[in-house]
Amino acid sequence: MVSFLLIGNESLTAACGAQVLARGHTIACVMTRHPDVQAWAAGAGLRVAAAGDWAALAGVTVDWLLSVANLSVIPGSVLAQAGGAVNFHDGPLPRHAGLNAPVWALLGAEAEHGIAWHLIGTGIDDGDVLEQRVFPIGPQDTALTLNTRCFEAALESFPAVLDQMAHGLRRQPQDFSLRTLHLRDDRPAAMGRIDFAAAAGDVARLVRALDHGRYWNPLCTAKLGLADRVLNVGAADMVDGSGAPGQILSTDGGLVVACGTGAVRLSRLTCQDRGMAVDPASVRDAVVPGITQDEAARLTAALAAIAPHEPRLRGALRGMQPAVVSQVPAGVAEWRTVEVAGISPLALLRVLGLDAADVAFSAGPGDGYLSDWVPLRLTGGTIAGAQAALDAALAVARATPRFPRDLLTRDGALADPALPQVGVSDAGPISGTVLTLTPDAVHYDAARLPDGAAFAARLAHVAGLIATRDGALAEVPVLTDAERAQVVEGWNQTTFEHDRSMCVHTAFERQVARTPDAPALVCDGESLTYTALNARANRAAHVLIGMGVRPGTLVGLCLPRGLDLVVGALAIQKAGGAYVPMDPGYPADRIALYIEDSGCPVIVSQSGLTLPGAADVLRLDRDERIAAAPDANPVTGVGPGDLAYMIYTSGSTGRPKGVMVEHRNVVNFFAGMDERLGADGGVWLAVTSLSFDISVLELFWTLARGFKVVLTSDENRALVAGGPVASVQGMEFSLYYWGNDDGHGPKKYELLLEGAKFADTHGFCAVWTPERHFHAFGGPYPNPAVTGAAVAAVTRNIGVRGGSCVVPLHHPARVAEEWAVIDNLTNGRAGIAVASGWHPDDFVLRPENTPPANRAALFAATDQIRRLWRGETVEFPTKDGTFGVVTQPRPVSKELAVWVTTAGNPATWREAGAVGANVLTHLLGQTIAEVGDKIAIYHDALKEAGHDPARHSVTLMLHTFVAADREASRATARGPMK
């Protein structure tokens, strides 16, 4: 039995390791970076070390070190831990030593190739050969096929190598007079550009030598240098034909070009920038320009200079985090310049609030072979550290300001590394960026960054602070003095002319004087006019004053929903106290906590309710003192600065905490509601618990403005009103599921399915299920298509809706396919609400659409889904071009019903409305003004029917954002979507 240390990073590594174990030998450790090799080793119970972690091998001693598909130099100290060391080489020795031997064999017009197992010596592939296999090179062999044949030869020959390592070596010294060494940075001449003055066979062989299929190409691509662009060439075949070298003979089935002798058909043409397929018929040149010796030498030298840096450039492109300053799609640039010197790129990092980001550094225009930019990484931390890192990164970028454009084709992971929106240049603006920093100016594209001048001013402000400060970059203030004044003072000017002497109860008393006989409060068939409600509250207030209630006294309010609940709250405030809601439906221990924590000396309640503690209790339904008390408004000295109420939090963060609100806070809120909704009374259905602040709006703003307040009781608060509803059209009700469920098994979805069945047979409109990822809250609903299909299977009438289908996380074709299935299951009852998504963690599903890119992705995906639904052909990108998709199955309904769901934490309703309006214009194919006109018509219809549109919350929201953006949208209306 022989012991081994196995090092390598390809599938061949695991295949050879499996042969070692099959022979009964042992492997002390496997060192690899390849996930599949790691998985194989772990499955075989072997110790695994990360590639390059040589310290992890300390103390490991073996008979043989086996290097298979390993391109790293092994330290001498590690070699000394083995009795001997053997390496696999994908070429015959000594003819093709070093790297990429199959490519060099094809370029050298070799008739045969092979593999070798050799002892590891002191140099590169210079040890004695133990086993070698040679095979002929076929006329259609490429770098890819030769690599495959080397793999086969390695597996076929490895048993013989194992025999030697176990039973004795048959060493074959190399003849170094025949040696050719290919180093990592060696590249083909002229950057792989095809010279059609050569024979057709030589041209075809060049293309085949650089054809790695879909695998990583470590050298370069074969290139077609046209008059206006450079194309990659993936395949070439010799064909019959003749003409002047470079003459294009045909574009059918490929690009047929005449050579020095014969002709070749070039296929799998791709562009340099994105590696996208190019139609040969798009080539307009009659003759491919020839290449001069000087041009060939220039290209050879240029690639030679970049080759040593290619691994770093490739890694930088793969790991880019481009800075984003605009969501406006690229169009015709409108460059503007703000002359300001010395703007550090670090200012951009701070203004955008990022810890790290990539910008584009440019030293000037490139050409068809080399880029005109490279990624420049900005990092945060301390100002000194960030500046040092920036200086070092700039030095590297200036030394290597370009990368080979064919790198985007050679590495499939770099299919489209988009140019960052922000550039740093020693000259003028970088074409394609939104903003470019130069030593003496900020250049911005006004078409994509309309507020570029303000942005430049902010950059200049931050750059000035960075130059004079120490400490963390993240602590540098971002806003200019003018912006800070606007944010802190200008936008915060909430001064509004209203009576600041008012309290909640005195505002009600004024309304009593205005409409004494109007209905004020209705509940379960009982009603009170404003005069009657005021009188009942006054009598109770006088009793409370006699019980010691004064301004600032906290008074418990423990009553079921009914007339007395409002009477009690008003009475407490009229007496000068602040009510503390204690819902009798709450657990006894929670009510006890409220009583103890608030220390309230008095509680307003009713008979039949048992209250813990020693507080004095006023029972409104049986206390004889109330009937004998006066009904005049009491005078207590309570003022706007005194407490109006104290509401306890839910306790979600631990022990519930009382939140105290003063009368002036509530009255100011009333003034804000007047400004937004108007002060005209109407009818209001009050459904909110007094333990939640919105009840203050429902009960006290309404009663201070002359509303008739209909108070739902505890029994019917969750029910639809039993009487007829007067409206322009019938109101529809849906079920929307959302929640947190930590259970397991089918009962997790019992409520969904049973609720859907009930709704299906009781006149409900639709069942909506959301989309929520990677969090327990809403976690039972990660995919509305799946839950929607479950609902579809158990219902016959009801609509099935995706409550928040986050389309930027999915491929539009999949969304169309999945919902078309539901549409068929329901015979046309499907519909979705699209959402842009907002939580960054969700975008592991589609990282490229991470906010703020999700907004544009929402528009694009929704348009594509609707077009697919109609049966249109929609082009989607593939590896080699695009493919026209027509989804199956075909849906029943001709159009997909689409709503818009928003989420997040908008600063204001107007901001949220602007986003919603923007979405509507795209989905409806109309401007905001046109949508607003339709909503205005609906408002008029409501008014004619005797309803106040401001009381219709959904309509109100639409009206708010439409009004906010109507004027601007008329000037900048988008075109309609199909």
Side-chain angles (χ1 to χ4, degrees):
M1 184 173 64
V2 181
S3 59
F4 289 85
L5 169 60
L6 181 60
I7 302 176
N9 300 294
E10 299 293 343
S11 57
L12 180 61
T13 309
C16 290
Q19 289 194 35
V20 170
L21 298 177
R23 292 207 172 193
H25 302 309
T26 62
I27 299 177
C29 186
V30 177
M31 174 175 278
T32 184
R33 70 172 60 90
H34 196 289
D36 291 345
V37 179
Q38 292 172 351
W40 164 79
L46 302 176
R47 176 184 169 189
V48 181
D53 184 10
W54 305 113
L57 302 179
V60 175
T61 58
V62 292
D63 297 317
W64 286 101
L65 184 151
L66 187 58
S67 172
V68 182
N70 164 53
L71 302 183
S72 301
V73 176
I74 301 172
S77 59
V78 175
L79 293 173
Q81 293 173 219
V86 173
N87 181 63
F88 165 73
H89 180 63
D90 59 354
L93 293 176
R95 182 70 183 96
H96 288 291
L99 299 177
N100 306 306
V103 175
W104 296 111
L106 286 167
L107 290 175
E110 299 283 7
E112 59 183 17
H113 193 58
I115 60 94
W117 296 92
H118 65 91
L119 295 173
I120 298 178
T122 58
I124 298 175
D125 296 332
D126 62 353
D128 292 348
V129 174
L130 301 182
E131 198 72 29
Q132 188 152 260
R133 296 288 188 275
V134 177
F135 47 82
I137 296 177
Q140 299 302 317
D141 267 329
T142 65
L144 175 63
T145 62
L146 277 191
N147 273 308
T148 302
R149 295 177 68 186
C150 288
F151 180 94
E152 295 171 346
L155 288 181
E156 185 273 331
S157 60
F158 186 59
V161 178
L162 279 178
D163 286 340
Q164 291 193 52
M165 288 190 287
H167 304 296
L169 304 181
R170 298 188 297 275
R171 305 165 64 126
Q172 305 169 39
Q174 298 186 45
D175 181 356
F176 293 114
S177 66
L178 304 176
R179 176 180 170 87
T180 301
L181 178 62
H182 312 288
L183 300 179
R184 184 190 301 270
D185 297 331
D186 289 347
R187 296 291 188 271
M191 213 176 291
R193 175 168 167 177
I194 299 171
D195 182 2
F196 290 99
D202 294 335
V203 172
R205 187 169 55 252
L206 170 65
V207 176
R208 289 188 286 108
L210 299 175
D211 178 10
H212 289 75
R214 297 182 183 274
Y215 292 90
W216 159 240
N217 177 344
L219 297 176
C220 67
T221 61
K223 297 178 181 64
L224 181 66
L226 299 173
D228 60 343
R229 54 181 167 162
V230 178
L231 301 180
N232 302 309
V233 180
D237 299 293
M238 290 187 292
V239 296
D240 294 334
S242 63
Q247 181 181 351
I248 296 178
L249 306 177
S250 171
T251 59
D252 292 336
L255 197 67
V256 180
V257 185
C259 301
T261 57
V264 291
R265 176 182 287 109
L266 308 178
S267 55
R268 286 174 32 212
L269 304 180
T270 57
C271 64
Q272 289 283 94
D273 285 337
R274 293 183 174 84
M276 299 299 291
V278 173
D279 185 352
S282 69
V283 176
R284 301 303 179 190
D285 304 51
V287 177
V288 179
I291 181 170
T292 65
Q293 289 185 346
D294 289 344
E295 176 68 0
R298 183 188 73 82
L299 294 176
T300 300
L303 187 53
I306 293 177
H309 307 282
E310 193 172 90
R312 174 181 56 79
L313 291 167
R314 182 185 175 202
L317 289 168
R318 276 194 166 194
M320 272 207 310
Q321 303 172 34
V324 176
V325 295
S326 172
Q327 292 300 315
V328 180
V332 178
E334 299 177 17
W335 285 106
R336 309 273 175 84
T337 298
V338 177
E339 294 184 356
V340 54
I343 300 293
S344 169
L346 294 179
L348 175 83
L349 199 67
R350 180 65 191 107
V351 167
L352 294 180
L354 301 174
D355 295 325
D358 287 285
V359 299
F361 173 81
S362 176
D367 55 22
Y369 302 90
L370 301 177
S371 70
D372 56 3
W373 67 279
V374 290
L376 176 68
R377 173 60 59 91
L378 308 177
T379 56
T382 64
I383 293 176
Q387 187 61 53
L390 173 60
D391 292 342
L394 277 170
V396 171
R398 287 195 169 95
T400 316
R402 314 190 192 286
F403 59 83
R405 285 188 170 178
D406 68 359
L407 194 58
L408 310 185
T409 302
R410 292 156 47 202
D411 184 349
L414 299 178
D416 186 9
L419 172 72
Q421 291 189 358
V422 178
V424 175
S425 169
D426 291 333
I430 303 172
S431 176
T433 61
V434 178
L435 180 144
T436 298
L437 303 178
T438 58
D440 56 0
V442 176
H443 309 269
Y444 67 93
D445 180 358
R448 301 179 67 186
L449 193 64
D451 60 343
F455 195 90
R458 198 174 305 144
L459 288 173
H461 168 72
V462 173
L465 294 178
I466 290 174
T468 59
R469 286 185 174 225
D470 296 322
L473 179 63
E475 295 176 355
V476 174
V478 172
L479 300 180
T480 65
D481 293 341
E483 288 174 325
R484 179 175 176 80
Q486 178 64 32
V487 171
V488 176
E489 299 170 7
W491 289 339
N492 203 36
Q493 286 294 335
T494 58
T495 301
F496 186 78
E497 291 303 322
H498 65 93
D499 189 348
R500 292 177 174 78
S501 67
M502 300 286 287
C503 294
V504 176
H505 59 283
T506 57
F508 165 70
E509 290 166 358
R510 287 191 181 184
Q511 186 60 43
V512 172
R514 287 192 290 266
T515 57
D517 298 323
L521 189 63
V522 177
C523 184
D524 281 353
E526 295 184 90
S527 65
L528 292 173
T529 64
Y530 272 84
T531 296
L533 175 59
N534 190 50
R536 283 182 60 169
N538 286 341
R539 284 191 287 271
H542 284 292
V543 174
L544 289 171
I545 293 171
M547 297 172 72
V549 175
R550 300 288 184 270
T553 303
L554 295 176
V555 180
L557 183 60
C558 186
L559 286 165
R561 294 181 68 82
L563 300 181
D564 276 349
L565 181 69
V566 180
V567 170
L570 285 170
I572 292 168
Q573 293 177 332
K574 283 171 173 282
Y579 69 83
V580 182
M582 300 174 181
D583 193 322
Y586 282 180
D589 58 348
R590 175 159 291 203
I591 294 177
L593 171 63
Y594 291 174
I595 295 173
E596 175 192 356
D597 187 73
S598 65
C600 56
V602 177
I603 298 176
V604 176
S605 187
Q606 70 178 27
S607 57
L609 294 178
T610 302
L611 298 169
D616 200 357
V617 179
L618 173 63
R619 302 191 185 274
L620 294 181
D621 60 335
R622 70 177 188 186
D623 197 300
E624 297 178 352
R625 291 174 293 178
I626 295 177
D631 60 5
N633 294 334
V635 178
T636 63
V638 64
D642 289 312
L643 291 180
Y645 63 86
M646 182 174 78
I647 290 180
Y648 276 86
T649 65
S650 64
S652 59
T653 58
R655 180 184 174 93
K657 306 169 186 65
V659 179
M660 297 180 287
V661 180
E662 299 171 355
H663 282 277
R664 59 186 175 185
N665 304 138
V666 182
V667 170
N668 196 48
F669 168 66
F670 287 177
M673 292 302 298
D674 292 342
E675 183 184 16
R676 293 290 180 177
L677 299 183
D680 297 333
V683 179
W684 191 287
L685 178 64
V687 298
T688 306
S689 167
L690 205 65
S691 297
F692 188 52
D693 284 276
I694 201 67
S695 62
V696 178
L697 164 69
E698 292 189 347
L699 298 178
F700 303 119
W701 175 72
T702 52
L703 290 173
R705 298 303 183 266
F707 277 78
K708 174 184 177 181
V709 178
V710 180
L711 181 69
T712 59
S713 65
D714 291 318
E715 289 76 19
N716 63 20
R717 186 152 52 110
L719 300 178
V720 178
V725 178
S727 68
V728 176
Q729 61 184 28
M731 181 179 290
E732 295 178 329
F733 287 86
S734 296
L735 294 182
Y736 194 118
Y737 285 85
W738 181 268
N740 183 12
D741 181 9
D742 295 327
H744 299 283
K747 284 196 174 290
K748 180 191 292 285
Y749 297 100
E750 185 175 50
L751 178 62
L752 169 66
L753 299 179
E754 293 303 317
K757 292 176 185 177
F758 177 87
D760 190 52
T761 57
H762 287 77
F764 281 71
C765 172
V767 174
W768 304 71
T769 56
E771 176 173 350
R772 185 69 173 94
H773 298 285
F774 318 133
H775 196 282
F777 187 60
Y781 304 99
N783 188 333
V786 175
T787 48
V791 170
V794 298
T795 59
R796 294 185 178 182
N797 306 301
I798 202 165
V800 178
R801 309 282 189 251
S804 53
C805 186
V806 188
V807 292
L809 301 184
H810 310 289
H811 195 288
R814 289 301 303 274
V815 176
E817 288 175 340
E818 291 167 352
W819 282 94
V821 172
I822 296 175
D823 203 52
N824 279 271
L825 289 172
T826 61
N827 197 29
R829 291 182 279 119
I832 63 172
V834 296
S836 62
W838 62 277
H839 200 289
D841 292 346
D842 294 350
F843 287 84
V844 297
L845 299 174
R846 289 286 295 275
E848 67 273 19
N849 289 337
T850 299
N854 58 333
R855 182 184 178 202
L858 169 68
F859 295 154
T862 303
D863 177 44
Q864 291 167 331
I865 292 166
R866 299 183 78 203
R867 289 165 56 200
L868 290 166
W869 195 270
R870 299 187 192 109
E872 297 178 21
T873 300
V874 178
E875 295 287 332
F876 290 105
T878 64
K879 175 67 176 177
D880 299 322
T882 61
F883 177 72
V885 171
V886 178
T887 56
Q888 294 292 337
R890 298 304 313 133
V892 174
S893 53
K894 293 181 179 180
E895 287 285 347
L896 175 64
V898 177
W899 289 260
V900 181
T901 302
T902 60
N905 186 25
T908 65
W909 274 107
R910 180 162 297 191
E911 176 185 337
V915 174
N918 207 346
V919 173
L920 279 176
T921 61
H922 280 266
L923 298 184
L924 299 180
Q926 297 170 317
T927 67
I928 298 175
E930 291 168 333
V931 175
D933 291 339
K934 288 181 172 57
I935 295 174
I937 293 171
Y938 178 55
H939 274 227
D940 293 340
L942 286 171
K943 289 180 179 178
E944 291 176 6
H947 297 275
D948 183 353
R951 304 296 171 251
H952 291 251
S953 59
V954 174
T955 309
L956 171 67
M957 182 183 69
L958 291 173
H959 185 269
T960 300
F961 71 67
V962 169
D965 293 289
R966 180 190 298 270
E967 183 174 351
S969 68
R970 290 190 188 277
T972 59
R974 286 184 169 82
M977 293 177 71
K978 294 182 179 178

